[in-house]
Amino acid sequence: MRVKPPRKVLLRRRFMMMPSSPNTTTTATMFCALLRPHTSDSFSAAFVRRSLIAFLCLAAAFFFYWSADSLRFLSNSSSAAASASLDSSSTSSVAYLFPPEAVSTEDNKEFSLEKVLNGAATEDKTVIITTLNEAWAAPNSIIDLFLESFRIGHQTRKLLNHLVIVTLDKKAYERCLILHSYCFALVTEGVDFSEEAYFMTPDYLRMMWRRIDFLRSVLEMGYNFVFTDVDIMWFRDPFAHFHLDADFQIACDQFLGDSFDLANRPNGGFNHVKSNNRTIKFYKFWYSSRNKHPGYHDQDVLNVIKYDPYIQEIGLKIRFLDTANFGGFCEPSRDLNQVCTMHANCCYGMDSKLHDLRIMLQDWRQFMSLPPTLKRSPSFSWRVPKNCSLNSLRRPITPVKVVENEDLS
């Protein structure tokens, strides 16, 4: 009589007879066949065993299928990564940030700007904007003093969350990424804005008009903004001092006492603008007016067009900001209890600006360290301007070469 081998021996033999490289379906099928129960088992035990075996078979089939699919995905991903690596090796990071005309579209630029503005905007879609080039972006330069003023000012640190730094060249962009969260690279084809642009030189004019056109695009995207030159120190939150009924309000080199008086001498370095049809039309008109007044910068042209009948026609509400709150070296804010911003205007040359701005920040720190009773003393005020006196503006100016209908966009 032939003795039947034990079940474990049968399983081992069947397992050794399986092919060494089956596909996933064959493997799952044979695994199920191995675990089928003998007919000698009781019905109840067989039912439980079969249920368990069915579950294990399905799980095994799913596992093998998932594993095979994952291998295919990894294979495809590796091929794609290798292809992307080859493509990127011929394109530097600068080319990506400052794309050539062949791969750059207005839609891509607008999307990138929209992303930055949306990240920095307040709930009512307001952003603070400044512009920066390489000359003012160097370590221990203007940009460092500008950001420091926000940190030591009264309730101004929080405003850094809403600041967008618009860079005009590659190195300024790279420095911005080190210093701040919201940076946007604005490129003008064929124009180098990296060097210090001296007042009223051709590069200075190009930079100023490029700024006006850019701000128009921000308004068209539905964002209100406070534009500030980077040589303006922020010592107090200015929003409480803005006129609620104004579409366009601007700081002054000289304030005559009435915020409605068009004779006030505006300074384009600081303004608060609401996004609406009136301001969009105004910025388009302002920018186009450069062709009627060649060789003039945006501030001089504003002083002309503020009287134009077109301003009344579109219904633009203009207000001028008091230098008691928004001062500068031209007309300082004497009372440090009221000052919001101070501008290094009426000053020629970066060295002079740096010298006086550092003194200004020292004065502010000293003021903030005083007890409340001494802060109210009228005897404490700025020690500046020093190097930034009006005499610093008395210099020979190279005549501006005018290029008719020059396109700065």
Side-chain angles (χ1 to χ4, degrees), residues 12-26:
R12 191 180 298 110
R13 287 178 183 174
R14 291 182 187 182
F15 180 79
M16 293 177 66
M17 292 172 63
M18 290 187 343
S20 58
S21 302
N23 58 35
T24 55
T25 304
T26 304

Side-chain angles (χ1 to χ4, degrees), residues 378-394:
S379 61
F380 189 91
S381 189
W382 307 109
R383 291 177 292 159
V384 289
K386 288 186 178 294
N387 289 4
C388 287
S389 65
L390 292 178
N391 290 332
S392 68
L393 296 177
R394 295 173 184 173

Side-chain angles (χ1 to χ4, degrees), residues 7 35-38 41-57:
R7 175 173 174 77
L35 299 177
R36 289 195 186 106
H38 290 280
D41 294 336
S42 65
F43 176 78
S44 59
F47 177 78
V48 173
R49 196 181 297 111
R50 284 170 181 166
S51 299
L52 179 60
I53 290 169
F55 172 79
L56 292 174
C57 289

Side-chain angles (χ1 to χ4, degrees), residues 130-134 136-137 143 165-169 172 175-176 230:
T130 193
T131 54
L132 182 67
N133 68 348
E134 178 185 342
W136 286 24
I143 184 61
I165 300 179
V166 179
T167 61
L168 304 177
D169 56 74
R175 183 86 204 288
C176 180
V230 76

